[in-house]
């Protein structure tokens, strides 16, 4: 029998079959191992591994003001993570962490037995290193192939990195629920604390979240969260990480009762503007996941102040309008809809409060010389409306457009003492162009002349008026700007030519469409606040234009500079003409329509603006260092004159209240007088040289050689 068996075994066919089977087995194993390893990434990538990080936005004083992130995560070194938290993780997730080579045979056997008995792939038996390899490189799918790859990767990681490095990566990578990745983000999310401030009980609660963050969430399931936390503490005590007294003290700690409410942070319109600028440039993945550091121009303290004051003032004006329209509203109600809760059976009845008008506003501050934007308020509430009225809205500037007309006049040789016509003028459209009807040359009155054209279908006539309907005949160019005379503006644009005014606006920085009509002098075009503010700042900067900018520099997560602002200046107007215009605009805030600003006691040049039917109310004001624009109106371009009549002077009031704080640390400098400017006392009515004995004489600025020569 034995001899027969030996004969069979030693027979050639048997040996051939055995060898063939072995060869096939080896081939299958090789193919299988090739398949296994083909799905493995090179472990050296771990050295350069950068998880999805938070991009941080800083203000001009390096104060953190916002974070862009898909995953709320912050990378911290191991030495900054509390020892109790490190111990809790090791105790609960991998007590042999400092002994094994990446996987635990005992744990794998235990898990296999449990899975066989239960009939489900429930037990993971993963070490911290395996969990890390899965979190960084693999999926969470429970498959045998993935488990094998996980073990191989864990071995490679253990070979490549030290235990402290692995623990550090794990604690920064692990998902802990509510969008929090890593222990630092979890500390902020659940306790609104920094890692260094965590107690033992709080550290245990965070570690308890690891297996099932949703199940053990203290806000959703406080009882389960407490049980899980106490289990972590018991295990820590059993493994001698904490004493009995520390155990009892930690168990007595209360759980967080409610998730820390997100702060209503100022500057949300600015942040959104930053996103709109950078996201197309770098892509969404880089902006939201690459951990950039964005250093901006905004001053967050000034921003918060501006938002607060503007909202308060516009709410007061809302109440005035509502009162004028006979609508009763709650003075403490600052919500957008101003609605009250109603019983279900009364819900069909219309709440009259829902109909009261709600003013909107915008406010912007920039550095006159550099263009750095310090404040940007795009509306009364970003949550209410994300439409940025400082950078996206196009509104009529009204009389705040007049400085461009006055600059065109200065370029044509006018002086601040030149007498200009404040008299009614009729403009008519002949089918091709707007023309001025001259009563003296045509020997007709305006009324008679109008009748001759009125039968024509192509005939249009326009007879502008001053605000209030009064005119003063002939007045100086200065006085006309201070009193914002509409008739002077249209007569000036007629005299110097619409193209000259358009050319000035373009050089100053206005890119919006400008209609070639005489009414352009009264601000019938539409402009954006940011562009209008930058353009008027050109005059305060001695005729040198600088664009607004919002970002000083952008750095990657390693501190490498990706971009940095480079100032670009362009000389558009002569320093002399710019000074003459600014000097006249100072009169607006001292004696004219913006005189409320004078209570600041500063050298401020400004201009009010009020459009037809009081739809848009503006004030733009400038010191030699800082320029600011304020606007208020209604989003639907409605007018509520019957409720309350507001003007650009109204806007100047809350502009003043904001700027009183913003300018408090700024020196009260005056605008620099350039070379080629001389001063002479003039009669403010005639514009001629004043007699030495005149009491109301005014010290006027002139380009040297253009001073009046007679009394």
């Amino acid at each position: 029998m034995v001899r027969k068996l030996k004969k069979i075994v030693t027979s050639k066919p048997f040996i051939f079959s055995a060898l063939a089977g072995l060869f096939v087995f080896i081939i299958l194993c090789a193919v299988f191992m090739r398949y296994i390893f083909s799905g493995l990434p090179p472990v050296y990538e771990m050295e350069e591994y950068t998880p999805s990080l938070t991009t941080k936005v800083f203000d001009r004083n390096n104060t953190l003001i916002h974070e862009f992130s898909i995953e709320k995560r912050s990378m911290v070194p191991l030495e900054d993570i509390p020892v109790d938290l490190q111990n809790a993780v090791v105790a609960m997730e991998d007590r042999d962490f400092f002994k094994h080579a990446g996987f635990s045979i005992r744990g794998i056997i235990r898990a296999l037995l449990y899975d066989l008995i239960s009939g489900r792939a429930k037990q993971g038996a993963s070490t911290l290193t395996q969990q890390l390899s899965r979190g960084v490189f693999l999926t969470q799918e429970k498959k045998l192939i993935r488990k094998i790859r996980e073990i191989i990767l864990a071995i490679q990681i253990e070979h490549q990195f030290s235990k402290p490095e692995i623990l550090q990566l794990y604690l920064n990578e692990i998902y802990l629920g509510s969008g929090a990745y890593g222990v630092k983000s979890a500390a902020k999310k659940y306790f609104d604390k920094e890692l260094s401030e965590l107690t033992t009980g709080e550290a245990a609660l965070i570690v308890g979240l690891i297996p099932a963050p949703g199940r053990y969430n203290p806000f959703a399931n406080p009882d389960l969260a407490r049980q899980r936390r106490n289990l972590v503490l018991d295990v820590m005590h059993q493994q001698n990480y904490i004493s009995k007294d520390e155990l009892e003290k930690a168990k007595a700690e209360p759980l967080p009762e409610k998730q820390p409410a997100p702060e209503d942070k100022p500057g949300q319109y600015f942040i959104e503007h930053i996103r709109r600028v950078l996201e197309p440039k770098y892509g969404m993945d880089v902006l939201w996941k690459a951990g950039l550091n964005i250093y901006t121009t905004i001053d967050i303290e000034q921003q918060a102040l501006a938002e607060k004051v503007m909202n308060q003032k516009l709410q007061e004006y809302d109440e005035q309008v509502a009162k004028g329209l006979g609508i009763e509203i709650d003075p403490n109600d600052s919500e957008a809809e101003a609605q009250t809760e109603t019983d279900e059976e009364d819900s069909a009845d219309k709440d009259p409060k829902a109909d009261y008008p709600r003013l909107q506003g915008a406010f912007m501050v920039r550095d006159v010389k550099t263009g750095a934007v310090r404040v940007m308020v795009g509306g009364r509430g970003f949550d209410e409306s994300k439409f940025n009225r400082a950078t996206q809205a196009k509104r009529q500037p009204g009389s705040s457009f007049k400085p461009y007309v006055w600059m065109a006049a200065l370029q044509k040789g006018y002086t601040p003492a030149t007498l200009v016509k404040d008299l009614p003028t009729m403009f008519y459209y002949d089918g091709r162009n707007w023309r001025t009807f001259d009563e003296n040359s045509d020997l007709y009155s305006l009324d008679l002349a109008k009748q001759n054209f009125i039968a024509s279908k192509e005939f249009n006539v326009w007879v502008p008026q001053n605000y209030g309907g009064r005119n003063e005949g002939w007045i100086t160019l200065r006085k006309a700007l201070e009193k914002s005379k509409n008739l002077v503006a249209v007569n000036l644009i007629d005299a110097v030519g619409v193209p000259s005014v358009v050319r000035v606006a373009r050089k100053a920085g206005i890119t919006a469409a400008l209609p070639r009509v005489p009414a352009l002098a009264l601000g019938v075009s539409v402009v954006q606040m940011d562009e209008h503010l930058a353009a008027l700042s050109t005059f305060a900067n001695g005729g040198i234009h600088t664009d607004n900018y919002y970002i000083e520099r952008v750095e990657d997560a390693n501190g490498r500079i990706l971009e940095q602002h480079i100032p670009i200046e362009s000389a558009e107007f002569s320093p002399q003409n710019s000074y003459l215009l600014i000097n006249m605009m100072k009169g607006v805030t001292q004696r004219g329509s913006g005189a409320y600003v004078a209570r600041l006691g500063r050298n401020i040049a400004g201009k009010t603006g009020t459009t037809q039917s009081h739809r848009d109310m503006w004030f733009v004001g400038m010191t030699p260092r800082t320029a600011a624009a304020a606007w208020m109106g209604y989003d639907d371009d409605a007018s509520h004159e019957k409720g309350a009549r507001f003007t650009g002077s109204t806007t100047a009031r809350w502009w003043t209240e904001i700027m009183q704080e913003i300018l408090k640390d700024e020196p009260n400098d005056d605008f620099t007088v350039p070379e080629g400017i001389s001063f002479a006392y003039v009669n403010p009515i005639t514009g001629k040289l004043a007699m030495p004995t005149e009491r109301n004489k005014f010290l006027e600025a002139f380009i040297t050689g253009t001073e009046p020569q007679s009394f």
Side-chain angles (χ1 to χ4, degrees), residues 68-284:
F68 290 108
S69 64
I70 300 295
E71 302 171 354
K72 288 292 183 183
R73 184 204 307 273
S74 296
M75 296 290 286
V76 289
L78 190 64
E79 56 265 26
D80 291 343
I81 299 174
V83 174
D84 279 342
L85 204 157
Q86 297 180 42
N87 291 337
V89 167
V90 173
M92 285 299 294
E93 297 298 316
D94 190 0
R95 66 181 62 185
D96 295 325
F97 172 68
F98 291 100
K99 300 175 183 177
H100 62 63
F103 67 99
S104 170
I105 295 177
R106 184 174 59 182
I108 292 172
I109 294 173
R110 185 182 68 249
L112 286 173
L113 290 174
Y114 181 90
D115 291 346
L116 287 172
I117 294 171
S118 64
R120 294 180 297 167
K122 184 81 172 176
Q123 286 286 310
S126 295
T127 63
L128 289 183
T129 316
Q130 286 176 257
Q131 292 181 47
L132 178 62
S133 67
R134 180 170 66 241
V136 174
F137 294 117
L138 304 174
T139 67
Q140 299 294 322
E141 196 175 9
K142 290 182 178 294
K143 285 186 176 180
L144 179 62
I145 298 295
R146 196 268 296 157
K147 177 62 70 174
I148 294 172
R149 286 173 174 162
E150 179 184 296
I151 293 172
I152 294 172
L153 272 175
I155 295 171
Q156 292 178 326
I157 290 171
E158 290 277 351
H159 179 71
Q160 196 82 12
F161 298 93
S162 67
K163 289 290 185 179
E165 288 173 330
I166 294 171
L167 184 58
Q168 175 179 300
L169 281 168
Y170 177 86
L171 292 172
N172 281 290
E173 166 65 30
I174 191 70
Y175 179 64
L176 294 163
S178 298
Y181 286 79
V183 292
K184 181 174 182 178
S185 294
K188 200 72 177 173
K189 197 74 173 179
Y190 293 102
F191 301 103
D192 195 24
K193 287 184 175 182
E194 296 299 324
L195 277 172
S196 59
E197 301 171 335
L198 290 178
T199 64
T200 302
E202 291 167 346
L205 187 143
I206 288 175
V207 172
L209 293 166
I210 293 175
R215 177 178 173 80
Y216 299 122
N217 186 305
F219 309 123
N221 303 301
D223 291 337
L224 284 176
R226 182 178 291 103
Q227 292 174 19
R228 181 69 184 175
R229 180 201 65 181
N230 291 346
L231 174 62
V232 174
L233 291 169
D234 286 335
V235 172
M236 291 177 70
H237 176 60
Q238 292 167 10
Q239 297 185 33
N240 299 317
Y241 286 121
I242 56 175
S243 66
K244 182 68 173 178
D245 289 341
E246 289 172 323
L247 171 68
E248 298 302 326
K249 183 180 178 181
K251 282 187 175 182
E253 292 179 18
L255 266 64
E257 295 182 358
K258 61 179 181 178
Q259 191 166 339
E263 298 179 37
D264 186 15
K265 295 183 178 179
Q268 293 306 302
Y269 285 103
F270 182 86
I271 295 299
E272 173 62 10
H273 184 75
I274 294 296
R275 185 197 66 79
R276 290 165 61 90
V277 170
L278 294 181
E279 198 170 79
K281 186 183 297 185
Y282 293 103
M284 184 174 177

Side-chain angles (χ1 to χ4, degrees), residues 39 80 95 148 195 222 229 258 301 310 351 397 405 424 450 454 475 486 499 559 597 641 684 686 699 709:
D80 291 343
R95 66 181 62 185
I148 294 172
L195 277 172
R229 180 201 65 181
K258 61 179 181 178
E301 291 185 2
M310 189 188 85
D351 184 356
V405 181
K450 189 167 34 175
I454 208 163
I475 60 175
N486 290 341
V597 178
E641 291 183 84
T686 66
L699 185 63
Q709 299 300 312

